Amino acid sequence: MKASLDDIYLFMLTVRHGGISAAAKAHSMQRSKISRRIQELEQALGCQLLIRTTRQIELTENGRLFYQYINQPLNDVTQAVSLLENQQHAFSGRLKIAIPAAVVASPVFLDLLDSYSAQFPDVTLDIVHRHESVDLKRENIDLQLLPNVVDVINDDYVQQTLLSSTNRLYCSPKYLESSSLPTTMEELYQHPILSSRYTSALLPDGMNLRLVSEDFGLIKLLTETGRGIALLPIVLFKEQVERGELIPVMHDTFELDIVMTLVYPSRHFIPEKTRAMIELLRNNFSNRYKFS
C-alpha cells in the first residue's frame, strides 16, 4: 500500500489548521473524510502521525518529522515517504524503554539487553527509569514494563503479562543485636517494615510500615544499619543473602509476588526493532516464569 499525495496534502492541512475539524471547516470538507484519509496515510506509512484528542491533535515524533519534510517542494515529499517507510523496517536508531529500577538492575534483564544488542548492534537502547505509567506516545517511549499494582494511564495501550517478581523479608545482623526474629504475623506487626512503593500497596493492614521508597539502594542501606525489616525482590539481593549480610525472615510464611506487565502504544505501526524486543521479552519471560 503506497501513500497517496492527496492524503499527504490533507495531513498537511490538518497540521496547519491545528486540527481535523478546523481543516474540514476551512476547506468545506467532511471531518470524517479527512480523519479516514489520514488513517489510511498512517497505514500506508506504517506509523502513527497524530495523537487525536477531543479538541485538538498533536504530532507524534514521526508526525513532526514527516511534516518537516513535506512542508518542502514535492521532490522532498517523496523522499519523506521513503524515509518513514524505511525507518519502520530498519534495525537502527533508538529504542526507548521505560523500566522500574528494580527490574533494570536484575541479571536476567541485563542478559536480555546483551542478547538484543548482539543481534542488533545498530540500535541504541535508551533505558529510562519510570515508576509510574507514562504517556508513551507523547514521551516518545516505545515500551514500558510496569508492575500490576500501577494503573496504565491509557486503556488503549496494549498490555501483556510477562512475569512475576518474588519479594521476601530480610533483616541484618545489626538489627538482631536489639531485636529477635519474628516467627508469626502477630510478631511481625511489631517490627518496623521498609518497602518499595509497589510492594507496600500489597502489605496487610496493620503492618508497621516505617519507610516507603523507590530507591532499593536506600532500603538496603537502612536494612544493613538495623533500621528495620525490609521487603526486597530476591533477584537483586541473592549475593548479600549468601554472604550473610541479609538474613531471611519468615520465608516459609510470608512472600509477595508482583506481576510485571509489558505496555506499548499499539498493535499497529510497530517498528521492526520494537517488534524484535517484544518478541525477545515474550520468549524469555512468560506468566509462568518467576523473576526470582
Side-chain angles (χ1 to χ4, degrees), residues 170-179 192 194 211 216-230 232 240 244-247:
Y170 300 93
C171 70
S172 68
K174 178 74 173 175
Y175 184 76
L176 294 180
E177 292 178 6
S178 57
S179 301
L194 317 174
L211 175 100
F216 280 106
L218 174 62
I219 296 175
K220 174 177 174 289
L221 176 62
L222 293 175
T223 306
E224 289 174 340
T225 54
R227 308 299 176 83
I229 295 176
L232 298 169
Q240 287 87 346
E245 297 170 5
L246 293 174
I247 298 170

